[in-house]
Amino acid sequence: MRITIDNLDGLGAIDYTEAVVAGAPITVQRALNEPSRCTAEIMLGVEGLAVPVRRGKVTVTAADATVLFTGYLATEPVRMYSGNASTGPVYKARVTAVSDEWLLDNLGSGAGLRDAESLGLAGTALVTQLASRAQAGGSAGVTVTESGSIPATGSFSARAGSPFSANAANAASSAYAAYRALNGQILMQPVGNVTHAFSDANGTLSVSELQTTAVRELANDVTLTGAEEPAAYIQENFFGDGTTTVFDLTEAAYRDTNRLLVLDNFTEPGFNPAQWIVSDPGSYFSLTSTGLTMNGGNGSDGQTTLTAIDAVEMGGSVIVQLSGVTLAAACDGMLAGMYQGLPVLAECFAGFRVRQSVSGTGGVTVIVPVVNGVEVGTVFTPTAGHLYTLRMRLHCVEMQRVMQPYYCMVDGVVQGFGSTSGVTAPMQVVFELVDEGAASNTPATVIYDSIAAGGTLTSTPATCAFVLANATQMFGSVAAISITRPGSLWVVSTLPSGTLQTRLIGVAGQGVDCTTSYGTAAGAPGKVTFLAGRVPVAGERVTVFYRNGRRSVARLADAASIASEAVNGAPGTCRWMGRVTLPMARSSTDCESAAQAVLAFATSRTAAVAGSYALVNPAQDIWPGDVLAITSEGVTSSLIVRSVVVTDGSAVPEVRHYKVSFANDWATEWAAGIGLKLSEEIAVDAYLPLTASSAPGQVLANLQQLTVTSLSDTAMQVDAGMDPPAGGGFEVRLRDWWFGMGVDGADLVLRSPVRSFSIPSTAQLERYYVRMYDASTPPLYSRLSSAVFVNMPLNETA
């Protein structure tokens, strides 16, 4: 093995091979999805060889020119006394180099200034994005390539407090891939993309040593918990009296932890490459004292754009706010566009269109809401010279629109569980403007409200690309942009006349109607507080839509494995419980997919195999993530390489010793899994299922669009939002999680075989939980309830 070091002194790479101490040879250590390391001891004082320096570039090659390692000296060499010679004391230096991603670790995390959430990206695209962000402050000359097809991830969060290599490791593992850094490239390839065939009696190996062991018992009944998830779809109804300003909710409302998605005040010298993708061939965008400044365009839709790097998951409430907006004459383009595909008008799900009031020249600049590529709502004409805040609100009853896939390898074949396809869900949209020169208590001008315009949008994308500015021909500026996801709360009023309107949530001074509190997980409920001048009038029904929360959990069993293990009357069930740590299981559906993956490898005896293999001079270099197809006693096993140590044998011809450690998915430490990292700790707040399901998804659809069509002091009329299955219907209970034909009837209110039904009202305060059921034996139910809470004064009707 040959080692060269470039000491950054202008002399280039110098060969240090002859100065390597025989007792401490060149050693390359590789681990799956971790930086590689190279160590050696160099005799100092050799003529023509300088003492290696920190940041020196190290390259190790084999006799056949195979590059075994490239990296950098991360620390100063350790000088050690080696003895005396005729010329005096002799010293040696121990050098330690880290592979090329060390440069990216020094530049950043790959997440930017805050944790960054990516959605539905393939593994290579995800690591490419991380590398691009890390190099935003200065290029390290590292590129990302792939060999083989790498599957998609679901939701991935890069941690701002972690080094690039840690985020890249988690990203690669989430896609069941392996990365390696070599020759200035990060190579991504699927685990098992390269297979090495060996035998424990392979005559071509001068040294052959094989050790294997099954390190864990199988499991065929698996319970997994994940993150807290939104549960019941709650709509809580209150009635205004003209004076009441505070309405206390019955429960705490669910909210995301990642609430700030995009924030930029445009005070830096240039666009932040860790946050924006700039497509501006004509240099029409710039940053000035007024923020993002737009000065024209090439006349084509979608060619001059400023796009956020990360897509936006269209779940829960999403608020897009542009502050300090000024628009000059002759504008044409889009601001704050959410796009389902290409950044062109036809693909715009929601955004502000800026155009001329009449076609051609001579008109004035106007702002018009766009939904699904079509102009809607009121045309607004901004006053020249005024600054405006543009605000777009999007609300979806589903918080999670992108599901999480999980991958594992069973008998040498990679299997995937779960889907990255988007969750179907309805949405509501509101567009509003505020003249920043008006008084702070001036209400916002609503130019489109989907609920007032006829109802909910039923066909909506799960994710959108956010394009802050799409300049066909734009003149003006934007001082700041923010995108937040405050949570699940959404407030709608029904006036005594029957008119519907969305009540705007925010803080005082934003021109909104009310402020909200989400409550606490400890049980303190949330509340809605209306501001002066926006208090609900007498007879106005205020409906607060929100989700409560619970711990996500799933339990699945493999009936075939249980049957095969039940020998001679012994029980065949082997139960295991744990928690999913990576990729994050955001819902019980995700937990089911993860449980499928665990069952796939935990019921396979080869999945629990671990061991090591020692050999010399293999025909092909071996890397973590490769698979060893080892034949022993006539049986061939596929074994995933976890680590490799390559040591120079200091001989001619070359002798390279390889010590390969392998472990399949069920044989690793819980936190060291590839496509699925687990913990043996079960979440303490999880309500564990008593029985296991035999397959995932054995539930009916949730009633996302259940609505209360009318209320009186004697009855509540409900539309379930969908037709019941044949032979099934809708079950109404006084308590949640208490559904089933054999469940205590004291809580049963009614079962309706039709979509629209009436629930009798017997008290001022009412709570009802509704799920759909079918004609199965036993019947299947919706996974989650739709809940209707009513706080209704006596003798009120709406």
Side-chain angles (χ1 to χ4, degrees):
M1 294 166 62
R2 178 172 176 263
I3 182 170
T4 64
I5 303 176
D6 184 344
N7 289 307
L8 311 177
D9 53 8
L11 299 178
I14 304 299
D15 193 336
Y16 279 76
T17 307
E18 296 300 323
V20 174
V21 177
I26 304 167
T27 301
V28 175
Q29 299 171 300
R30 303 165 175 166
L32 181 61
N33 290 333
E34 293 182 18
S36 299
R37 296 183 181 274
C38 174
T39 59
E41 290 185 5
I42 305 294
M43 191 64 66
L44 301 180
V46 178
E47 184 178 355
L49 297 181
V51 177
V53 298
R54 180 180 176 273
R55 301 186 71 89
K57 184 173 182 179
V58 177
T59 302
V60 177
T61 54
D64 61 3
T66 299
V67 179
L68 303 175
F69 174 88
T70 59
Y72 296 84
L73 296 178
T75 60
E76 297 291 347
V78 178
R79 296 170 64 99
M80 299 175 292
Y81 175 70
S82 184
N84 281 296
S86 59
T87 56
V90 177
Y91 293 90
K92 58 184 178 181
R94 180 182 294 121
V95 295
T96 301
V98 183
S99 50
D100 293 349
E101 67 268 45
W102 178 75
L103 294 176
L104 298 180
D105 283 348
N106 288 338
L107 287 173
S109 64
L113 298 179
R114 64 185 67 85
D115 291 356
E117 183 182 34
S118 301
L119 301 164
L121 294 180
T124 302
L126 187 51
V127 174
T128 299
Q129 188 179 88
L130 293 172
S132 176
R133 273 202 172 103
Q135 296 181 95
S139 176
V142 178
T143 59
V144 181
T145 60
E146 72 174 3
S147 174
S149 178
I150 297 174
T153 59
S155 169
F156 177 81
S157 183
R159 302 301 182 192
S162 299
F164 163 82
S165 57
N167 282 322
N170 288 336
S173 294
S174 297
Y176 213 78
Y179 91 80
R180 71 182 69 157
L182 195 69
N183 282 333
Q185 290 188 336
I186 294 176
L187 174 65
M188 294 280 294
Q189 61 182 23
V191 170
N193 192 53
V194 176
T195 299
H196 307 271
F198 295 115
S199 167
D200 56 357
N202 194 326
T204 63
L205 302 177
S206 58
V207 176
S208 178
E209 178 184 317
L210 174 66
Q211 296 178 354
T212 63
T213 181
V215 298
R216 184 171 286 122
E217 294 183 0
L218 61 78
N220 52 30
D221 184 335
V222 173
T223 302
L224 292 177
T225 61
E228 185 179 1
E229 68 174 336
Y233 303 79
I234 298 173
Q235 45 186 293
E236 187 155 6
N237 295 272
F238 304 92
F239 281 85
D241 57 11
T243 59
T244 300
T245 60
V246 180
F247 296 87
D248 292 318
L249 304 180
T250 302
E251 299 191 24
Y254 178 87
R255 68 190 308 175
D256 276 336
T257 55
N258 186 14
R259 299 166 195 161
L260 180 60
L261 306 183
V262 175
L263 177 65
D264 202 332
N265 295 321
F266 301 115
T267 57
E268 299 297 323
F271 295 105
N272 181 359
Q275 184 160 259
W276 301 107
I277 300 172
V278 183
S279 176
D280 185 18
S283 299
Y284 299 108
F285 293 154
S286 61
L287 294 183
T288 68
S289 59
T290 58
L292 164 64
T293 301
M294 303 167 287
N295 190 30
N298 65 2
S300 298
D301 188 11
Q303 293 189 12
T304 303
T305 57
L306 184 63
T307 305
I309 288 180
D310 294 311
V312 176
E313 186 171 21
M314 308 296 276
S317 294
V318 177
I319 301 177
V320 181
Q321 179 170 299
L322 278 61
S323 304
V325 177
T326 62
L327 295 169
C331 283
D332 186 15
M334 294 289 301
L335 290 176
M338 292 286 188
Y339 290 89
Q340 305 180 60
L342 296 174
V344 295
L345 181 61
E347 297 290 330
C348 183
F349 170 66
F352 291 92
R353 186 175 182 190
V354 182
R355 62 168 173 81
Q356 298 306 289
S357 59
V358 296
S359 59
T361 59
V364 297
T365 295
V366 296
I367 301 173
V368 193
V370 168
V371 173
N372 285 324
V374 178
E375 292 186 2
V376 296
T378 302
V379 177
F380 180 84
T381 303
T383 302
H386 283 217
L387 295 174
Y388 289 89
T389 293
L390 309 185
R391 203 175 289 129
M392 179 170 64
R393 303 173 186 266
L394 306 111
H395 176 72
C396 180
V397 294
E398 296 293 349
M399 302 291 287
Q400 181 185 14
R401 302 293 303 274
V402 177
M403 309 311 292
Q404 193 72 262
Y406 293 90
Y407 304 97
C408 66
M409 180 177 286
V410 180
D411 296 329
V413 178
V414 176
Q415 300 181 18
F417 302 92
S419 173
T420 57
S421 59
V423 175
T424 302
M427 294 188 73
Q428 296 176 18
V429 183
V430 176
F431 293 80
E432 67 202 74
L433 306 97
V434 176
D435 188 328
E436 295 179 6
S440 61
N441 63 345
T442 302
T445 301
V446 176
I447 57 177
Y448 181 72
D449 182 351
S450 61
I451 194 72
T456 301
L457 306 175
T458 56
S459 178
T460 67
T463 65
C464 281
F466 175 71
V467 181
L468 170 56
N470 181 354
T472 304
Q473 192 81 303
M474 293 284 281
F475 300 90
S477 60
V478 178
I481 164 66
S482 68
I483 304 179
T484 56
R485 181 179 286 117
S488 61
L489 276 169
W490 190 256
V491 183
V492 174
S493 281
T494 306
L495 298 175
S497 64
T499 300
L500 294 172
Q501 64 176 359
T502 300
R503 291 294 211 140
L504 307 181
I505 301 171
V507 298
Q510 289 185 331
V512 299
D513 299 316
C514 56
T515 63
T516 58
S517 166
Y518 275 76
T520 66
K527 64 181 178 180
V528 177
T529 303
F530 284 88
L531 302 175
R534 275 77 150 190
V535 178
V537 301
E540 179 179 346
R541 173 155 60 104
V542 177
T543 304
V544 183
F545 296 88
Y546 63 99
R547 306 282 298 273
N548 61 10
R550 68 150 191 170
R551 178 66 55 182
S552 60
V553 62
R555 181 180 177 186
L556 291 180
D558 187 318
S561 175
I562 292 173
S564 67
E565 292 296 315
V567 180
N568 296 326
T573 298
C574 303
R575 192 173 182 190
W576 186 83
M577 294 189 291
R579 179 169 56 90
V580 182
T581 62
L582 189 79
M584 179 184 292
R586 298 192 288 167
S587 63
S588 293
T589 302
D590 287 348
C591 287
E592 285 187 348
S593 299
Q596 280 185 285
V598 172
L599 284 175
F601 59 69
T603 55
S604 168
R605 297 187 184 277
T606 61
V609 172
S612 62
Y613 191 41
L615 63 154
V616 170
N617 291 354
Q620 185 179 8
D621 195 16
I622 302 172
W623 282 84
D626 293 351
V627 164
L628 303 184
I630 295 183
T631 302
S632 179
E633 299 181 9
V635 177
T636 300
S637 300
S638 295
L639 309 167
I640 302 171
V641 176
R642 298 296 178 133
S643 65
V644 180
V645 178
V646 186
T647 305
D648 186 15
S650 302
V652 178
E654 180 181 73
V655 175
R656 282 179 285 132
H657 296 273
Y658 279 69
K659 182 64 177 290
V660 181
S661 296
F662 55 81
N664 286 344
D665 282 311
W666 193 233
T668 60
E669 295 293 331
W670 301 118
I674 304 179
L676 184 61
K677 299 183 188 299
L678 304 167
S679 167
E680 288 188 281
E681 296 179 354
I682 199 80
V684 296
D685 58 350
Y687 182 80
L688 302 179
L690 294 177
T691 58
S693 299
S694 58
Q698 292 187 315
V699 292
L700 300 183
N702 297 320
L703 303 176
Q704 297 172 332
Q705 299 189 65
L706 183 144
T707 56
V708 176
T709 56
S710 66
L711 275 171
S712 71
D713 55 3
T714 60
M716 175 192 312
Q717 193 66 33
V718 173
D719 180 356
M722 61 190 307
D723 294 329
F730 305 97
E731 186 171 301
V732 182
R733 293 271 180 175
L734 296 177
R735 281 191 291 174
D736 203 358
W737 310 105
W738 211 248
F739 290 82
M741 293 300 176
V743 176
D744 184 2
D747 284 307
L748 178 64
V749 178
L750 60 87
R751 292 189 180 98
S752 172
V754 295
R755 169 174 172 163
S756 182
F757 52 92
S758 179
I759 302 175
S761 293
T762 60
Q764 180 179 349
L765 303 177
E766 302 273 20
R767 286 193 198 178
Y768 299 107
Y769 298 88
V770 186
R771 296 193 190 191
M772 185 164 58
Y773 65 90
D774 67 6
S776 304
T777 305
L780 297 179
Y781 280 78
S782 303
R783 185 188 297 275
L784 302 172
S785 296
S786 289
V788 180
F789 299 166
V790 180
N791 185 336
M792 185 171 183
L794 296 178
N795 301 319
E796 287 285 0
T797 302

